[in-house]
Amino acid sequence: MTMARRPNTLPTSIYLLIDCRPETIARGWAEGEPFYCGKTIRTLRHRFRQHLNLATADLESERALLPRIRECDGHVKIILIDT
């Protein structure tokens, strides 16, 4: 038996993680290259910190996102695209 999910009454934010390394900008991405689209009901700041913490703490993860964040070496930003 599965339990019914509670309806979400909180606003959901859709966001992009952007690779803004200097070499990415030089390749023609003026604002940086988007490499991940996500959604959250938390603040963007909170979700961004979660991504960064996972990337540094979970070096064995098979999620493709985490090595990409590490590859950017701190040159990552988050932008809101919709709520």
Side-chain angles (χ1 to χ4, degrees):
M1 181 170 114
T2 60
M3 187 185 294
R5 292 181 65 167
R6 268 188 315 161
N8 178 16
T9 57
L10 299 172
T12 300
S13 298
I14 308 297
Y15 64 91
L16 293 174
L17 291 183
I18 308 288
D19 174 352
C20 52
R21 292 177 287 175
E23 57 268 27
T24 304
I25 306 291
R27 285 196 320 258
W29 293 90
E31 298 295 321
E33 178 183 12
F35 65 91
Y36 180 78
C37 181
K39 67 179 187 174
T40 186
I41 58 171
R42 306 231 183 231
T43 65
L44 287 185
R45 180 181 177 156
H46 181 269
R47 187 64 183 117
F48 188 55
R49 285 182 186 269
Q50 283 183 318
H51 282 303
L52 296 179
N53 288 339
L54 279 172
T56 56
D58 194 357
L59 301 177
E60 302 289 322
S61 176
E62 294 181 19
R63 292 183 62 202
L65 172 63
L66 303 182
R68 180 66 188 264
I69 292 173
R70 287 190 292 271
E71 191 179 289
C72 291
D73 195 32
H75 296 278
V76 179
K77 66 181 176 182
I78 189 168
I79 60 167
L80 177 68
I81 57 173
D82 201 0
T83 302

